[in-house]
Amino acid sequence: MSEERQAFQAEVGRILDLMVHSVYSDKEIFLRELISNAADACDRLRYRALAEPELLGGEGVFGIRIEVDKAARTIAIIDNGEGMGREELVGNLGTIARSGTAAFADSLTGDAKRDVALIGQFGVGFYSAFMVAERVRVVSRAAGAEVAFVWESDGRGEFTVSEAEREARGTEVRLYLREGEDEFLEPARLRAVVKTYSDHIAIPVEMAGETVNEASALWTRPRSDIEPEQYTEFYRHVGHTFDEPWLTLHFRAEGVIEYTGLLFVPTSRPFDLFHPDRKAALKLYVKRVFITDEAPELVPAWLRFLRGVVDSEDLPLNLSREMLQRNPVLRRIRDGLVRRVLGELKTKAEEDKEGYETFWDAFGPVLKEGLYEESGQREALLELARFRSTASDGWTTLAGYVERMRDGQEAIYYIAGEEGAALAGSPHLEGFRARKLEVLLLQDPVDDFWVSAVGDYDGKRFVSVSRGGIDLGAIAPVDETPVDEAGQEADIAALVALFKVTLGEAVKDVRGSEALTESAVRLVADEGDMDLHLERMLRRHGQIDGAASRRVLELNPRHRLVQGLARSIAAGEDRAAALAPLLLDQARIAEGEAPDDPAAFARLLADALADSLPAG
Ligand code: ADP
């Protein structure tokens, strides 16, 4: 019998470290996690056995057993689920395959309070055993396999795996309790923990020959029989999370297609919401038999924060991966779920404004993906969307924006960028602020995409303020507009012509601007060209390469500097040409971009500053 000693994956090591030093106050949740794993293993085997009945080896009744050995100070959680072979033990209990794990582990700080909050979002599963155990021994035999294996570890960096004896298929997880954890040797205490956390598990959990839990699928029970805590624990089980559900939807769809849904919207944003591997993950059951938790057809990616169960009466039990695709029943279930969830969100938005805004803050960026992925739900989603804007510190709806539009205003203005503070200070906003025109501050990467896909709302076009050619002339500035040099507008035609010649290919054009009040210059995308922020974003993600498209440099004819330069030309001086590249770089910096040649920029700036000081 060969024993293999291995180190845990680095990330697991760090999580185990947290567990060993017991960051959690309610350590008892280890039992929920282990029972949850055992139940999942039974569910998976039940499904596999539909196609391969021989896997059951005649034992088709699934169950979980808890055994206590007071003398040895151990408790064991034993299931007859699908079990694990050597490779699965190593892979499943030595690494975490979940996406975003490395990023998660890196964000752990050693600050117990913060880390508890983080790990709550991540979920710890099996490793929580080490909160109460100084040693864990897992003996497992995979369904259909002849040999069993034993995995053992004290949670301090290494584990061993070797061959072992086990009569039947399934897994036994034995915990050697730490000093001071004797409460978990008391059957009454264990029963209470199972009742609290695992009552909803559809597989019976037995202690000393007695079934402790309700052992019927929670979603099949009438709503009136279910306590809020039971919903919460079920959510934690299916969602592998520790937080509270923000929204619980339990319903039965009746009619041509019948199914039951028990869906949850989490309170906090899961760790890997934006990880590329993150998939929509509802559990699909057919007539109470677990089929899969990987059916992307069941729910669109833009609702991937949903957790829960859908149980269909109409799908066949022997449903293969291929059959899931383009299955008309599944498609109708999906559309039904989408309608129901959006309808419920609408109600929440009306009934609980603040709660809804917290939800939007966490999941709005995901929902907005639906704006370009599912045109059929566009209207509903636009009503649900909330925005930051220059008009208030809070959130606004599009309807609210439209209500506040000024006379003569025809478009919905927005600026896209990452950072709120930088956005609010952008030169692009000056002319809008001066005219008290509200501008939406779009800060999510998806915004550029849906805005161009959606185009308009309520007949009003979405227009980026970083775009040239917006005619603000029809709307008069409001009185307190800060205007340099007493509002005198200089004739800058000669300056514009000189800049064009000097800057040449570096810009697409040079123009005087209505849209600036405080800044001397800005860069805009020419009409018909790609928005500046969108281009920067696509470039960062490698979606476009090559030279940046050329932009239009706008000069503010009311700014002292621009006026001074115009005067210097009239006086026959030649300083304006030398300063043209400096002004262009300045406009780039205001966009959050780097000067083309930072060293040359620094030299030019130093020269210009020196020239502005008294000589001698
Ligand atoms: P999670 O359950 O979130 O995937 P865990 O760390 O709890 O993470 O478990 C890791 C994996 O180990 C599970 O996904 C499963 O494949 C396997 N596993 C854990 N417990 C059992 C069990 N009792 N029977 C079979 N497989 C198990």
Side-chain angles (χ1 to χ4, degrees), residues 490-502:
D491 177 3
I492 61 167
L495 181 65
V496 166
L498 177 74
F499 266 42
K500 270 191 210 175
V501 174
T502 314

Side-chain angles (χ1 to χ4, degrees), residues 37-38 41 44 79 83-84 92-93 98 124-127 171 240:
N37 281 346
R44 283 195 298 265
D79 67 65
M84 289 177 274
N92 293 337
L93 308 185
R98 215 174 320 159
V124 281
F126 170 76
Y127 302 109
T171 302
H240 293 276

Side-chain angles (χ1 to χ4, degrees), residues 173-471:
V173 178
R174 185 170 294 275
L175 314 190
Y176 295 79
L177 294 181
R178 269 175 219 289
E179 220 46 75
E181 304 297 350
D182 293 21
E183 60 178 294
F184 296 114
L185 294 172
E186 294 306 323
R189 172 82 170 110
L190 288 176
R191 274 201 187 88
V193 175
V194 173
K195 257 322 231 189
T196 308
Y197 296 107
S198 308
D199 198 42
H200 56 77
I201 296 271
I203 311 272
V205 180
E206 230 173 68
M207 276 182 70
E210 230 179 85
T211 300
V212 185
N213 62 334
E214 176 79 27
S216 76
L218 186 77
W219 61 90
T220 59
R221 301 185 213 163
R223 274 195 302 209
S224 52
D225 288 3
I226 304 175
E227 301 293 329
E229 302 78 55
Q230 291 178 305
Y231 277 128
T232 300
E233 284 311 327
F234 184 74
Y235 159 67
R236 291 176 176 164
H237 163 65
V238 286
H240 293 276
T241 59
F242 286 35
D243 65 340
E244 301 279 328
W246 175 71
L247 181 67
T248 301
L249 253 114
H250 187 186
F251 59 90
R252 229 191 118 66
E254 280 165 350
V256 190
I257 291 181
E258 288 187 16
Y259 57 96
T260 302
L262 177 47
L263 308 183
F264 303 93
V265 176
T267 303
S268 48
R269 189 188 277 190
F271 208 78
D272 54 351
L273 192 59
F274 290 102
H275 195 281
D277 295 345
R278 166 83 181 206
K279 301 204 177 70
L282 292 180
K283 290 192 172 196
L284 176 64
Y285 283 72
V286 172
K287 300 184 190 77
R288 259 71 60 212
V289 176
F290 170 76
I291 304 293
T292 177
D293 49 12
E294 288 175 36
E297 298 81 7
L298 187 57
V299 63
W302 52 272
L303 288 175
R304 62 182 172 276
F305 52 84
L306 286 177
R307 290 285 169 269
V309 167
V310 174
D311 190 350
S312 158
E313 299 295 325
D314 305 296
L315 288 165
L317 268 171
N318 59 347
L319 194 66
S320 67
R321 205 44 51 84
E322 298 72 49
M323 284 165 71
L324 285 173
Q325 291 162 14
R326 287 199 294 273
N327 182 301
V329 175
L330 205 57
R331 179 74 205 185
R332 291 181 64 168
I333 294 178
R334 173 202 187 276
D335 292 346
L337 295 179
V338 167
R339 267 198 310 279
R340 229 172 247 273
V341 170
L342 295 189
E344 197 61 31
L345 288 176
K346 183 160 179 267
T347 309
K348 283 292 263 189
E350 286 159 6
E351 287 173 354
D352 172 16
K353 179 168 173 291
E354 259 165 54
Y356 180 76
E357 287 173 352
T358 312
F359 155 78
W360 183 264
D361 200 30
F363 300 110
V366 176
L367 270 180
K368 284 192 282 191
E369 292 171 14
L371 283 168
Y372 59 82
E373 281 179 6
E374 192 144 342
S375 48
Q377 295 300 340
R378 219 169 246 179
E379 240 167 85
L381 285 169
L382 285 174
E383 295 301 337
L384 287 171
R386 295 292 179 271
F387 299 89
R388 300 289 182 192
S389 99
T390 52
S392 78
D393 291 337
W395 294 95
T396 180
T397 57
L398 286 175
Y401 179 100
V402 169
E403 242 175 69
R404 290 185 295 272
M405 280 171 63
R406 286 196 60 191
D407 284 345
Q409 178 183 352
E410 275 160 15
I412 296 173
Y413 296 112
Y414 73 89
I415 182 165
E418 279 95 274
E419 296 200 18
L423 270 191
S426 164
H428 298 304
L429 293 178
E430 292 172 9
F432 293 84
R433 205 177 294 126
R435 290 169 176 80
K436 285 229 161 37
L437 288 169
E438 182 173 353
V439 178
L440 299 178
L441 307 172
L442 304 186
Q443 292 166 56
D444 295 311
V446 303
D447 287 326
D448 289 288
F449 300 105
W450 73 255
V451 166
S452 39
V454 170
D456 54 70
Y457 168 79
D458 194 16
K460 282 130 194 117
R461 288 202 66 70
F462 289 101
V463 173
S464 167
V465 298
S466 68
R467 180 158 290 277
I470 300 178
D471 183 11

Side-chain angles (χ1 to χ4, degrees), residues 31 34-35 38-39 42 59 61-68 75-81 166-174 190 194 201 203-213:
L31 196 55
L34 297 180
I35 291 176
C42 294
E59 170 62 71
V61 179
F62 290 94
I64 301 169
R65 210 165 71 237
I66 301 178
E67 276 180 16
V68 179
I75 57 177
I77 293 87
I78 303 156
D79 67 65
N80 60 356
R166 197 178 195 289
E167 282 290 304
R169 65 154 199 265
T171 302
E172 169 181 319
V173 178
R174 185 170 294 275
L190 288 176
V194 173
I201 296 271
I203 311 272
V205 180
E206 230 173 68
M207 276 182 70
E210 230 179 85
T211 300
V212 185
N213 62 334

